[in-house]
Amino acid sequence: MIGESTCVLVVDNEATVRHLIIEHLERHSIAAVAVEDGLQALRLLHERPFDAVITDLSVPYFDGFDLLCQCHLVWPQLPVILMSVSLADEIRSEER
């Protein structure tokens, strides 16, 4: 359930994308913490609880799919949202 104490971990190696996601979440009163790669994400997940993870598939050191797998092993109830900007770009270019 989303509430005042909700905190989402955002994982993306592109600063602009991280900023846009955090801005959107904060507009909806959801706190967010952002990191650049999967390794940083795992470290934070072990240090503190999060209500959800939003991660790009293509992040350095520990990609989004590996992060998803690790989360499901260690924190099976933790929602993980995978995203891929590059896949969306590919789909758009194929539609042209």
Side-chain angles (χ1 to χ4, degrees):
M1 183 179 302
I2 296 175
E4 282 185 28
S5 62
T6 301
C7 190
V8 174
L9 178 59
V10 177
V11 188
D12 199 299
N13 57 315
E14 294 195 32
T16 304
V17 174
R18 287 192 311 270
H19 176 74
L20 288 171
I21 294 170
I22 288 172
E23 188 176 275
H24 181 75
L25 291 169
E26 289 177 346
R27 253 189 265 137
H28 294 279
S29 301
I30 300 170
V33 175
V35 295
E36 295 181 21
D37 62 61
L39 193 55
Q40 291 175 344
L42 273 181
R43 285 183 185 139
L44 267 181
L45 284 162
H46 281 284
E47 290 174 8
R48 60 174 286 193
F50 287 92
D51 298 293
V53 176
I54 300 173
T55 182
D56 186 24
L57 279 171
S58 300
V59 291
Y61 306 117
F62 205 78
D63 73 26
F65 186 73
D66 291 335
L67 182 59
L68 168 71
C69 293
Q70 187 67 31
C71 285
H72 281 283
L73 283 172
V74 180
W75 307 278
Q77 300 302 317
L78 181 65
V80 178
I81 299 169
L82 292 173
M83 62 180 183
S84 175
V85 175
S86 61
L87 182 58
D89 289 342
E90 287 178 32
I91 291 169
R92 270 190 237 113
S93 66
E94 287 178 11
E95 291 176 347
R96 293 181 188 155

